[in-house]
């Protein structure tokens, strides 16, 4: 019998430790993923709010039509990347 096999003394304990470690890593990874997703959603909301505020300020300054033309140009130019 191979001393490294699961039937060897301590083999099962080592496997259990490895499984527990893997489970802990998986839980931490899931928590990190959830946190990152939440923060990305929050940042997306902030960017949308910022864009709305900038558009409102541009409209108040009377450059709304220029902003619209610029936005259309930027959106169409992004297709080239």
């Amino acid at each position: 019998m191979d001393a490294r096999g699961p039937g060897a003394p301590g083999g099962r304990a080592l496997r259990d430790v490895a499984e527990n470690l893997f489970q802990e890593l998986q839980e931490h990874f899931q928590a990190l993923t959830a946190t990152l997703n939440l923060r990305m959603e929050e940042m997306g909301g902030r960017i949308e709010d910022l864009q709305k505020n900038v558009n409102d300020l541009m409209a108040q300054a009377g450059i709304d039509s220029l902003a619209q033309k610029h936005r259309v140009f930027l959106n169409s130019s992004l297709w080239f990347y």
Side-chain angles (χ1 to χ4, degrees), residues 5-25:
R12 183 176 192 151
L14 182 59
R15 187 189 76 215
D16 290 345
V17 168
E19 287 177 358
N20 288 339
L21 179 60
F22 177 73
Q23 182 65 32
E24 287 180 29
L25 287 172

Side-chain angles (χ1 to χ4, degrees), residues 5 7-8 11 15-16 20 22-25 27-28 30 37 40 44 52-54 59-60 63-67 70 81:
R15 187 189 76 215
D16 290 345
N20 288 339
F22 177 73
Q23 182 65 32
E24 287 180 29
L25 287 172
E27 290 171 2
H28 287 293
Q30 288 172 345
N37 284 336
M40 286 174 46
K52 181 187 177 304
N53 289 336
V54 168
Q60 290 174 8
I63 54 176
D64 190 39
S65 60
L66 178 62
H70 183 67
Y81 293 105

Side-chain angles (χ1 to χ4, degrees), residues 21-52:
L21 179 60
F22 177 73
Q23 182 65 32
E24 287 180 29
L25 287 172
Q26 191 172 18
E27 290 171 2
H28 287 293
F29 180 77
Q30 288 172 345
L32 179 61
T33 300
T35 300
L36 287 174
N37 284 336
L38 178 63
R39 289 187 180 175
M40 286 174 46
E41 288 176 13
E42 290 173 350
M43 186 60 67
R46 290 178 185 164
I47 290 171
E48 289 173 3
D49 290 345
L50 178 61
Q51 184 177 6
K52 181 187 177 304

